[in-house]
């Protein structure tokens, strides 16, 4: 069951053609914005276009946020030909107009439906209308479909029933000839991480996120540990709940097919800056889609400086990185009700033989965390491994965060131009992430803070609900990458 | 997966037409009476008609108890045409006669069958005879079908198999042209809260209730916490067991489609008055069907004053309220074997921006419970929320309960007329619940007991096995309602 | 989901005709003998006929042990017509000859196959050959089929798949026109207690029993508490494991369709006399089939006096009794490794308004157990119930056990005649159990040991691994029976 | 559900013909080598042929290692006829050439595919191409197929769906006419131990092994105890994890159809010599396939002396032995993080009435373990059993292990010839394991270390993470074997 990171060669590419969802999209996790977390059903052309413009102006487009996704509640039902019709009050110029405007801005346009009789807000669903609706979306110029799971007429409960239900839409989208990124949203029911790779570009693996660090809510009844077999995904799942839920199957994400940890809550106000940094770090490192969920039009400086932060985004958009995995979890952190009593080490394999590590303190007091090369490279043999014998430069991935002052200038100027943001701002329109990484662009690497050598303990104090994130780079040349599959 | 409380507008109504069970019934939870809890198989025309008359006379009809439901054991099998035949000893004038009498009284008539080869008491079941039996029920003038799950020939164990089995009867009932409220009773097997909304008006979510507060019984083997995936629903489930079982999926109830927590036990003698008040409060707040289960003909005063209590019924029959949900549960209450060691806060969104809260003390000693606006409005942002900045009048929903003396007079007089019951008795025949709520009818609001303001703790002592129930109303105008979906 | 004990009346009998397995058999649990527990594959005509004769001679036939069942390993495969052929070395005169000899003795003849490609011992199975094999068995004069679950080609894992697989044989047996008792043996997989009643006369509800009181064995991986959803039934299940496993669903047994707790181990030597008495008591009270599993030809006196004990058999063979259920379990008994730390109260409703109770001490030291009428009649309302106000005579069901001396005389004489065994020996050939119970035959009632009255505690010391079993009879006339459904 | 060890007689052989996978192979567990554990995707003709030669030279072939198995990553996709094509860089002479070379050496050649759209490394899979691919493999001269589970298009989640998917390849292989050993690799999903015996020669029962003794890894999320119903098999499963996972269903292995505990890690460096001995001992005793996973071309002496050790291999290759089972587990061993706090007794029935026992100390300190004949022969009746009354010679199965010096000479000489290795080296090419056992060849028996008699405790100190393994042989003649079925 091991997975391999294939070198991209002719024969492999040929083979990859058997993917049912071979639309060529999401070779790295998709980025964008969706209105749901901040606005719910309160949607309109104004909201979408106003947000889209801001995404361009604030420099978010240029770091990769590409899709503007309209979620539920846009519909006025079906016409006499069973064709979906947009709500004419909310979208007076129709959907094609919205798509055109997005395309004019260089953005992609995403829409929403459900693999059920109704959407979750009880508008017309696509079950039984897959081909027609895919054609409609394609005719409007849609580039992305978020496909939900409500009112599915009992077509759930085992992998094959669910696979078949979602495959119908996958085939319908492919049949349009238009490349449409396909984001499954069945909340992890029936273990999509086992089977969705050949039909979808991403699949939600849990119930809906809620803008809270670790609040228990009976409506998200499975704790993280039970996430591999949750009888009720629920909603109001905390960020930490989702993080622990995905840990057993991070490896199921592959280029073109990703675990979706749900949309970002950064900027919505329910977590602290420290917690939002942890949220952004781990969503990037696990290679979840990165879909902003806040009100972009009233962006605040700290949120912007997180969302633009290149050394973290580089973990996600690196074409050769694999999803971070959890090396260990210790239940040794003092917790007073907010945080779980856990510290964790995660590690991620990056392009060029680099390695990222993440020391998480989920507890409620400062904690000193420690690791070593033998610890980090356990999969390769630990102390026996080649990697543990080498010396590694250590770069702090958050040290160079854009200051609130600078971020505030961008917000105020409504533009990145004329503001000195070069230290960690990376314009991916000018140079791709792949090229930037290949060129060792300093904005992607973080700030050098020391060196790790064989046998040495790396100790660091981590604040409560926080994470220290480092990139390790072998001294004196790139080490040979020997990922496990 | 979030659900929205739709504003009732044209386009939404159009969309709702896709509901398979679009019989227009149960827009608020159905109310009525069923013979099973008190009489089991001991059924007869006399019992039904005698009870029906009492329901009218005691004023129960006028608060909304509409359906008189005949449960199992009425059948004499099938005739030569495979048509169901009523037992001629128990029902000497046939079923149509019973239905006619109910209709004469302005009541609805409910019947029972099972989606199996036999009913639970091993009379003829409807599996394989759905169309014929639906036609028979319609021809008799039946208004409601309780549809059980016994002897189902192995057609269970996954959502699709069960959905299809119950959909056959849904379609058969719709095909009769007669609006027949469809109450699924498959005891929560295969998670009907996930899929029954498009075929049924309600679905039982647990094994059968037993007239006990919190007695453990091996025959109801799942504790509340395991209710989301119970391998054996069983029976003899206590009231507290069911209350905790439904907590993870209360949000699945919607207008026309409700979680059914099983019939009421009020008046059957197995619980204290305090426990019955808790039972009635939470069944109303969670928007379960409210089906009385006691011997109406020998109604006692305390039971009557519970069953008629308008400030609680208004939580259920409010067309804009959503099911209450559990905000928190603390395992901090002393318990000596009867109660679980739990205190809980539940909260419910009501029409007009009002909010209900329920402070439950499930333990065995008096407890002081405390909450605050930040606590109550956590979903909206807690202390950050608009709601937490406002001032709220607090109304005690049980303070104005009809006295035993007055209730006794109703029982003795066999009528609500001539008895002074106006303080909390609300005649919904004269004015609908919706109109009464819109008019701020004082009988629905409870008794003012104070005001909650930002930052303030609301503390109250709650008796063991009891609940304090409050309505909160913003001071100086109705707050904008911003429910989550 | 409640079940009713139907009064046998015309309409009810009509209704019961819908049972697919309406072969009229097993209206009370079947009794007999099967070679497996003592002999495994070591079968032969000699073994069966020698045992059959002993069953007659030792008086076992006359208390109801009727079926002599040949288990696995009798086959030589299929002939050119795919007809099963008996092993000619083990059965030189063929199977019809064995059946004839059984019938000559007034006994029934049972055989074995598996709903799989092979039997468990890897002889030819009946999957795909159901009609042919049923015809073959009928042509041989077979009266009983034990139908196993090995090598079932993956046709398992959900109720419908398993139901359908076993229904094919049920239909095939019915089609022969010969009444053949159908004992499903699928080890409780897919919860047969939910669906087998309409196709089979009994169904095994656990993995195979092993001759041990409470020994944990990893090969029977589900503890009793997890028995409602056991992923691997296994084998080597202890007696106490099975007893606790069946507790949640005892009520699923009904006339003609019983929970099968597997064959008796009495006489096989792995348990003490006290433990075997507990085994026999609870298997009878729960209304499991009672299939002896020891070497009848070398019967010892204590085993015989258990197997013949009428006051306990009367609990099983009473046509109006319902399966005993567990009222409570307390984890308060000292256990040193052998017994679980449990005491339990079980109670059973009997014909004529009598009630049986069972006080179990599963721990490893003597324990004083206590109960009361309010405790026993909790289901009827506890202290509020009519039953708790009445006075009850209490009869000890084991006090009059046949002495070892007398039982030894029967064994030695190879006959019950000429031995004075009248005190608890009941000849059901002369008078049926139903008639004996209706006539209040003193041999069925036990020995009077006192009276229980309202409010009184009944205390008794119970030895480790033992049970006190009592029949309660209301003083001054039979109480009205008000079973729950 | 009990299984019998059949005496091989005519009628039984006839019956065994119903096995769908009756290819006559793997009557004892298959032995060989697979490249995955040491080399992953880094495969080539050179690797396979170089290894094959070493297997012959080091004497591994002569103890039974027969199959050289090429794992994933050999493919260049399908040609225009949809026929699989080997990667011409890795295998410049094609696959048939490799197979021919293997056959020239007297070895068997194994290959790999997946019952999915892609292999785990995302090469072309065989789902939908079963017949074509089986014909291709047969045409190349393939003798063994490892058939994986990746990208299975949702065809998983219940036994029947998975059975059918794997049966298609079983039938396709049988249809080629070439005997091809069929090793299912679906990681234990859907409980293959329940149903795979009639289609496959072995089935993996867990996620992938990792070269570690007992390291917890979230990517192998089921602990051993939950292995009977694991929702996510995962990978990175430790040796102890797998050992405990298989314990509940060891009995499901039978001649021709074995539980596969995954490939050996001996020689890969992640465990100590003591741990590797435990690994090899238990994999042999449980009758798992024994597939070496190290780099044979750089074999070290201690690894070689384990892999060649005849007294342990004799447990596996004994045609009459049954899989060892766990008699008990005590959680009484001090553990400091590496080992579980467990001691265990396993026991195995061997040909000729011999018995093997295994005393495991999984904890982290030396422990004194104790057993007795009553303990060992509990299944036969414990102290009551015939076996517990007998005297038994005790042979230590590891006492005569080849020295590092001798093993080093073999490695250096690249040959077993000329090195004095006779004490425990058994050449199975010269004399079969069955004949050697029948002849009581001293190299298979171990070293006599004492005698066990009735009532006596056998005490031994066992090192941490170690096992003492003994063969017991009754004194004065072979005891009658009375295995349970």
């Amino acid at each position: 069951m091991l997975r391999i990171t294939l070198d991209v060669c002719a024969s492999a590419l040929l083979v990859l053609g058997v993917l049912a969802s071979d639309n060529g999209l999401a070779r790295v996790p998709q980025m964008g914005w969706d209105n749901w977390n901040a606005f719910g059903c309160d949607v309109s052309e104004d909201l979408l276009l106003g947000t889209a413009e801001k995404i361009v102006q604030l420099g978010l487009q240029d770091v990769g946020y590409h899709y503007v996704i309209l979620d539920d509640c846009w519909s006025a039902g079906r016409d006499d030909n069973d064709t979906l019709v947009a709500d004419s009050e909310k979208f007076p110029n129709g959907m094609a107009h919205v798509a055109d405007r997005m395309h004019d801005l260089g953005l992609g346009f995403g829409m929403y439906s459900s693999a059920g009789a109704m959407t979750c807000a009880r508008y017309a669903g696509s079950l039984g209308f897959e081909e027609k609706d895919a054609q409609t979306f394609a005719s409007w110029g849609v580039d992305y479909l978020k496909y939900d799971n409500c009112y599915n007429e009992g077509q759930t409960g085992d992998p094959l029933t669910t696979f078949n239900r979602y495959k119908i839409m996958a085939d319908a989208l492919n049949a349009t000839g238009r490349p449409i990124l396909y984001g499954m949203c069945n909340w992890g029911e029936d273990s999509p991480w086992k089977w969705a790779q050949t039909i979808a570009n991403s699949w939600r693996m849990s119930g809906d996120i809620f803008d809270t660090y670790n609040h228990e809510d009976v409506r998200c009844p499975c704790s993280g540990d039970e996430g591999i077999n949750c009888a009720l995904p629920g909603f109001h799942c905390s960020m930490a709940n989702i993080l622990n839920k995905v840990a057993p199957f991070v490896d199921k994400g592959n280029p073109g097919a990703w675990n979706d940890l749900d949309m970002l809550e950064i900027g919505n106000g329910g977590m602290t800056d420290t917690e939002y940094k942890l949220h952004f770090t781990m969503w990037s490192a696990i290679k979840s889609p990165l879909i902003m969920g806040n009100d972009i039009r009233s962006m605040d400086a700290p949120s912007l400086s997180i969302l633009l932060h290149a050394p973290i985004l580089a973990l996600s958009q690196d074409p050769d990185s694999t999803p971070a995995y959890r090396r260990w979890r210790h239940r040794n952190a003092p917790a007073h009700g907010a945080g779980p009593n856990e510290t964790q080490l995660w590690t991620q394999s990056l392009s060029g033989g680099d390695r990222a590590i993440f020391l998480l303190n989920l507890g409620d007091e400062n904690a000193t965390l420690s690791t070593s090369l033998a610890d980090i490279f356990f999969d390769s043999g630990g102390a026996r491994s080649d990697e543990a014998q080498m010396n590694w430069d250590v770069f702090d991935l958050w040290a160079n965060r854009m200051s609130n002052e600078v971020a505030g200038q961008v917000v105020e100027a409504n533009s990145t131009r004329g503001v000195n943001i070069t230290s960690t701002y990376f314009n991916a329109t000018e140079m791709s992430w792949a090229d930037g990484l290949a060129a060792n662009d300093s904005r992607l690497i973080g700030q050098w803070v020391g060196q790790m050598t064989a046998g040495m303990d790396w100790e660091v104090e981590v604040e409560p609900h926080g994470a220290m994130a480092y990139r390790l780079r072998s001294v004196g040349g790139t080490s040979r990458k020997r990922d496990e599959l």
Side-chain angles (χ1 to χ4, degrees), chain A:
Chain A
M1 208 182 98
L2 301 179
R3 299 287 162 68
I4 195 163
T5 301
L6 290 171
D7 294 325
V8 179
C9 59
S11 68
L13 282 174
L14 237 160
V15 168
L16 290 169
V18 305
L19 268 172
S21 71
D22 188 21
N23 50 24
L25 302 173
R27 303 307 299 172
V28 292
Q30 66 263 34
M31 296 174 63
W33 175 84
D34 180 294
N35 65 270
W36 187 258
N37 282 3
F39 297 94
C41 269
D42 192 10
V43 295
S44 67
E45 178 184 312
D46 283 353
L47 173 65
L48 297 191
L49 298 186
T51 300
E53 281 167 27
K54 264 302 199 206
I55 286 173
V56 176
Q57 291 158 349
L58 295 180
L60 291 159
Q61 181 186 35
D62 282 336
V63 301
Y65 297 96
H66 177 69
Y67 295 101
V68 174
I69 305 162
L70 168 60
D71 214 288
D72 204 351
C73 308
W74 56 265
S75 173
R78 296 184 183 279
D79 66 15
D80 292 346
N81 296 321
D82 280 339
T83 303
L84 285 170
V85 178
D87 184 309
S88 60
E89 282 192 41
K90 298 171 179 169
F91 299 94
N93 302 299
M95 283 303 170
H97 173 76
V98 176
D100 288 346
R101 297 298 306 128
M102 296 295 171
H103 298 159
D104 290 346
L105 291 166
L107 297 169
F109 178 44
M111 287 192 72
Y112 165 97
S113 189
S114 177
M118 298 188 288
T119 69
C120 294
R122 290 189 274 161
Y123 291 86
S126 290
L127 189 66
F129 297 91
E130 290 86 353
E131 285 187 35
K132 181 172 280 286
D133 292 356
Q135 294 293 344
T136 302
F137 295 146
S139 75
W140 289 343
V142 168
D143 306 298
Y144 186 117
L145 179 66
K146 173 180 176 181
Y147 202 44
D148 215 330
N149 192 29
C150 283
Y151 302 107
N152 58 34
E153 306 276 87
Q155 293 186 33
T156 183
D158 62 277
L160 193 52
T161 298
T162 299
F163 176 89
N164 286 340
R165 180 161 51 97
Y166 279 92
K167 184 174 192 296
I168 294 171
M169 183 55 92
D171 292 345
L173 293 174
N174 282 345
T176 66
R178 182 177 181 84
I180 300 178
L181 194 153
Y182 184 37
M184 268 182 56
C185 177
N186 86 323
W187 324 315
E189 285 191 346
D190 304 318
S191 305
W193 45 86
K194 289 188 179 177
W195 46 260
Q197 292 87 351
T198 52
I199 55 169
N201 295 109
S202 62
W203 55 89
R204 286 273 306 284
M205 44 51 67
S206 73
D208 279 12
I209 196 171
F210 191 69
D211 183 20
T212 182
Y213 167 62
N214 189 43
H215 185 77
E216 278 186 40
D217 194 305
V218 68
R219 294 167 295 179
C220 177
C222 298
S223 79
D225 286 340
E226 302 161 352
I228 58 169
N229 197 19
C230 184
L232 180 69
F235 65 129
H236 277 245
C237 298
S238 74
M239 188 261 284
N241 174 284
I242 293 173
L243 179 63
N244 277 334
K245 226 172 226 166
V246 79
F249 47 85
V250 288
D251 62 294
K252 302 295 190 180
N254 280 305
W258 304 104
N259 277 303
D260 180 353
L261 280 63
D262 206 0
M263 302 173 289
L264 299 170
E265 293 285 4
I266 295 151
N268 283 327
M271 292 188 249
T272 66
D273 189 72
T274 297
E275 293 162 354
Y276 280 142
K277 279 169 58 191
L278 174 60
H279 178 25
F280 192 66
T281 301
M282 297 314 296
W283 262 235
S284 295
I286 293 166
K287 304 203 73 158
S288 170
L290 296 175
I291 308 296
M292 300 180 290
N294 56 328
D295 183 355
I296 304 297
R297 300 169 309 177
S298 61
M299 179 75 77
D300 59 282
S303 298
L304 184 66
S305 69
I306 292 175
L307 292 166
L308 291 177
H309 195 59
I312 295 297
L313 285 169
L315 306 173
S316 162
Q317 300 297 302
D318 180 342
D320 291 334
S321 68
T322 52
Y325 66 93
R326 198 172 73 198
R327 255 290 288 130
W328 48 251
R329 171 167 62 169
H330 300 315
R331 300 181 182 277
N332 58 359
H336 312 307
N341 64 342
E342 301 176 7
T343 60
Q344 305 185 349
L345 172 65
W346 293 66
T347 176
Q348 183 185 15
S349 177
L350 304 174
S351 62
D354 286 5
R355 172 74 62 154
I357 63 169
F358 311 93
L359 286 158
L360 275 58
N361 172 20
L362 302 183
D364 296 336
E365 296 182 9
N366 277 351
T368 302
L369 273 66
S370 169
T371 188
S372 66
L373 294 175
D375 191 22
I376 294 163
F377 293 103
F378 178 86
D379 275 11
S380 308
R384 292 181 293 118
S385 67
D386 292 346
E387 290 87 344
Q389 321 306 326
M390 297 158 55
N391 298 332
W392 297 80
D393 284 318
V394 181
F395 301 86
D396 182 334
L397 295 178
W398 277 106
N400 292 329
R401 178 179 175 183
M402 182 184 289
S403 71
N404 280 343
E405 195 188 346
V406 170
Q409 289 168 6
V410 173
V411 169
E412 209 168 330
N414 219 8
S415 171
T416 55
R417 293 184 204 143
V419 184
N420 183 359
I421 55 170
T422 48
S423 69
T424 64
Y425 182 77
F426 180 81
N427 188 320
T429 305
E430 295 175 351
M431 182 191 298
S432 73
W433 289 100
D435 290 345
L437 286 162
N440 281 325
D441 190 298
S442 65
R443 293 169 295 180
L444 310 184
I445 306 305
Q447 176 177 304
W448 189 89
V449 290
Q451 214 174 82
M452 292 184 73
T453 56
M456 163 186 168
D457 284 328
W458 184 270
E459 282 202 352
V460 64
E461 184 158 317
V462 186
E463 63 185 324
H465 307 187
M468 291 304 295
Y470 300 104
R471 177 183 283 261
L472 274 57
R473 173 164 292 183
S474 71
V475 178
T478 297
S479 74
R480 185 166 66 91
K481 185 172 171 187
R482 283 209 35 188
D483 287 322
E484 260 181 305
L485 322 208

